Structure formats: C-alpha cells, structure tokens
Amino acid sequence: MADATDHLLTPVLDDDGAPFWDHAARGELRIQACADPECGELRFPPRPCCPHCRSFDSTWRKMSGKGRIWSYVIPHPPLLPAYAAMAPYNAIIVELADAPRIRLVGNLVTTADAPLDSVSPDRIRIGAKVQAVFTEVDGVTVPRWVLERP
Ligand SMILES: [Zn+2]
C-alpha cells in the first residue's frame, strides 16, 4: 500500500456533504440552503439542521462560481511530500459573489488541471475576482479557482 503522505489530500465524503461533491462532479458549484420558504438561508459547511430556523429541510442552490479572494496563505515547510514537491503553492479563501457570508478554501491555479504551483505567489491579491473550475484529484472532483482577469 502506498504511503498516504505521497498523495494530495482529498475530501472526506460524509452524508451531509455528499451532494456538494456530486454536484462538483457535474461541474456545478452548489451550496446547501434551508428549504423552509420563510428562511432560505445558505449554509456551509453542509449540516443537517438550519442554524437560523432549525429546519431539517434543505436544498442545493446553484452558484455562479464567481467570487473574490478574501484571504490567502503560501504554506511553508514542513509540508507533506506531495505538497512539498509543488511549493510554493497557495491556499486561498474565496468569498462567493452570490453569498458573501459563504467562504470556501481552495487553490488558485491557471487552469482547472494546472499544478498547484501554476500561479506565482506575487500575483495573488486579496479582493481579486476569481471563478470556480473543477478537476479530479484521486477520483474526487474538487473545485479550484482561476483569476477572472489572468
Ligand atoms: Zn432555515
């Protein structure tokens, strides 16, 4: 069996989050929303109960995939071997344009399938507009982000 630290980390799929990854596999960024007609609040990470009205009914609302960089970090060693090979890479927090209270963690890349170090750290700016793209990592389709104006 291969050493797990030789691979990029992939999401842990659970019942609450499974629809997020199913939609991602179809190239859609969807966020869980309360299905109570008087509430409708979005929530992330996915969970069974609405924190606003305590409803257990939910739906998955399609997002435009547009957002802006809310924050970012350039991880420094020590890193897992698979990540050390790609350093310097970035991890960004994206604030969704459709839901400014929802922020997702991901990587800024030049194209969906580009390596994690494809964007030079000096090109990353807080507030820069980004767009979600999707790629497969070890059998799981994950969202990544590209600059709206490269
Ligand atoms: Zn609710």
Side-chain angles (χ1 to χ4, degrees):
M1 189 173 163
D3 185 340
T5 61
D6 289 341
H7 301 282
L8 296 179
L9 300 175
T10 52
V12 175
L13 307 184
D14 62 11
D15 289 345
D16 295 326
F20 178 89
W21 303 108
D22 291 343
H23 291 301
R26 293 192 286 272
E28 290 185 356
L29 184 66
R30 287 186 180 251
I31 297 295
Q32 188 183 32
C34 179
D36 184 308
E38 291 178 19
C39 178
E41 290 281 340
L42 293 162
R43 61 183 186 260
F44 191 87
R47 47 194 180 272
C49 179
C50 176
H52 304 280
C53 74
R54 290 183 260 167
S55 169
F56 280 87
D57 296 329
S58 70
T59 184
W60 288 81
R61 199 174 299 160
K62 189 174 180 181
M63 301 285 112
S64 66
K66 293 183 185 303
R68 65 179 196 93
I69 298 174
W70 187 78
S71 188
Y72 71 96
V73 65
I74 309 299
H76 290 273
L79 301 166
L80 293 173
Y83 289 89
M86 289 193 229
Y89 63 93
N90 63 75
I92 64 172
I93 300 177
V94 174
E95 182 179 75
L96 296 183
D98 305 312
R101 289 186 302 106
I102 304 289
R103 298 181 186 129
L104 306 183
V105 176
N107 303 107
L108 186 68
V109 288
T110 53
T111 62
D113 299 322
L116 292 187
D117 63 351
S118 59
V119 174
S120 171
D122 61 12
R123 295 193 51 229
I124 304 171
R125 298 283 181 272
I126 288 173
K129 291 182 177 179
V130 293
Q131 174 71 45
V133 292
F134 297 88
T135 193
E136 193 181 310
V137 178
D138 289 337
V140 181
T141 302
V142 299
R144 286 180 170 171
W145 303 91
V146 296
L147 288 168
E148 226 176 67
R149 293 188 194 89

